[in-house]
Amino acid sequence: MMDTGRYVSLDENEVKRLIRDNPWGTIVTDTAKGLIASHYPMLLENDGSSEEDAGGISIVSHVGKPDDDKLELGRHEALVIIQGPNGYISPGWYDKINVPTWNHVTAHLYGVPEILSDDENWAVLERLTHHFEDRMPHPVLLEHQEKYAREQMAMTAGFRIRVTRFEARLKLSQNRPQVADRIIDELDHGDNYRQPALADEMRRVHTPKATA
């Protein structure tokens, strides 16, 4: 059996980084009608910019109505899945016989959603828009079209999840440090399974060990 302990991360800052870098999440709830899943952008409410953000993970988002009823938001625990870079690792990249595998960075976040007030939802939607639009040459922001944006907001339900527990995995060939550089090179420059973002994740894990 594979020892997955080496891939587990208990570091809240690592999870926050993953959410910050990959703000698209899957929310899953176990409803009276069975499992329901939906997909929405997720933002850290506590992004580490102040002392109050130091402990705990809180995420905010919104769903389009009637997804809030379908997901039964606020009635029980929900699971949010955040998936970072991932990709196929060929056994041909190893220095001895091996089997194919898949490297990935993921986090499972658990908590009971809290439905936001209209004012809170507007603030989250404003921040969400700034998060993605500010880098554009001519940002199109909600405050530029507030009447229309508020009409659209009425068709959404904002929520907050204060994460009570999480399960994070950084599976990045920690068990094969002797071939990490070759795998990183294949992911950066290979002809078949190039994944530069995954190569960057591997560097974060392997480079400190190589320079220690």
Side-chain angles (χ1 to χ4, degrees), residues 61-62 65 68 114-126 142 146 149-160:
S61 185
H62 69 283
K65 295 179 178 179
D68 52 333
E114 307 167 20
I115 302 300
L116 301 180
S117 68
D118 286 347
D119 287 344
E120 289 175 311
N121 190 22
W122 176 258
V124 168
L125 292 171
E126 272 194 317
L142 297 191
E146 183 167 343
R150 286 190 179 275
E151 290 172 354
Q152 296 300 304
M153 184 194 73
M155 295 184 281
T156 73
F159 66 88
R160 168 190 297 113

Side-chain angles (χ1 to χ4, degrees), residues 7-23 42-48 56-59 80-84 105-110 161 163-170 201 204:
Y7 306 132
V8 173
S9 175
L10 303 176
D11 187 345
E12 282 187 2
N13 290 325
E14 273 295 309
V15 175
K16 288 180 179 180
R17 181 191 67 83
L18 180 62
I19 300 168
R20 191 178 297 114
D21 293 347
N22 305 274
M42 306 282 173
L43 288 180
L44 281 171
E45 184 173 35
N46 47 350
D47 63 1
I57 302 170
S58 180
I59 55 178
V80 172
I81 302 169
I82 301 292
Q83 180 172 286
V105 183
T106 55
H108 295 177
L109 315 172
Y110 299 86
I161 297 180
V163 176
T164 55
R165 59 191 174 97
F166 67 82
E167 299 169 0
R169 294 284 189 280
L170 285 70
E201 290 289 342
R204 297 183 68 258

Side-chain angles (χ1 to χ4, degrees), residues 49-100:
S49 60
S50 65
E51 290 185 6
E52 301 90 71
D53 293 343
I57 302 170
S58 180
I59 55 178
V60 287
S61 185
H62 69 283
V63 297
K65 295 179 178 179
D67 278 5
D68 52 333
D69 285 332
K70 291 180 180 178
L71 290 161
E72 298 180 358
L73 291 184
R75 302 183 210 175
H76 41 65
E77 187 177 61
L79 161 65
V80 172
I81 302 169
I82 301 292
Q83 180 172 286
N86 67 91
Y88 177 74
I89 306 300
S90 169
W93 300 346
Y94 289 87
D95 57 348
K96 58 184 178 180
I97 189 169
N98 215 295
V99 295

Side-chain angles (χ1 to χ4, degrees), residues 137-191:
H138 304 288
V140 180
L141 304 172
L142 297 191
E143 53 265 38
H144 297 162
Q145 47 189 346
E146 183 167 343
K147 181 177 183 298
Y148 173 75
R150 286 190 179 275
E151 290 172 354
Q152 296 300 304
M153 184 194 73
M155 295 184 281
T156 73
F159 66 88
R160 168 190 297 113
I161 297 180
R162 303 180 197 273
V163 176
T164 55
R165 59 191 174 97
F166 67 82
E167 299 169 0
R169 294 284 189 280
L170 285 70
K171 183 180 178 297
L172 299 167
S173 300
Q174 293 94 323
N175 60 330
R176 296 289 188 271
Q178 70 277 12
V179 292
D181 287 345
R182 181 176 179 184
I183 294 172
I184 289 170
D185 185 64
E186 288 285 350
L187 292 171
D188 263 333
H189 309 294
D191 294 330

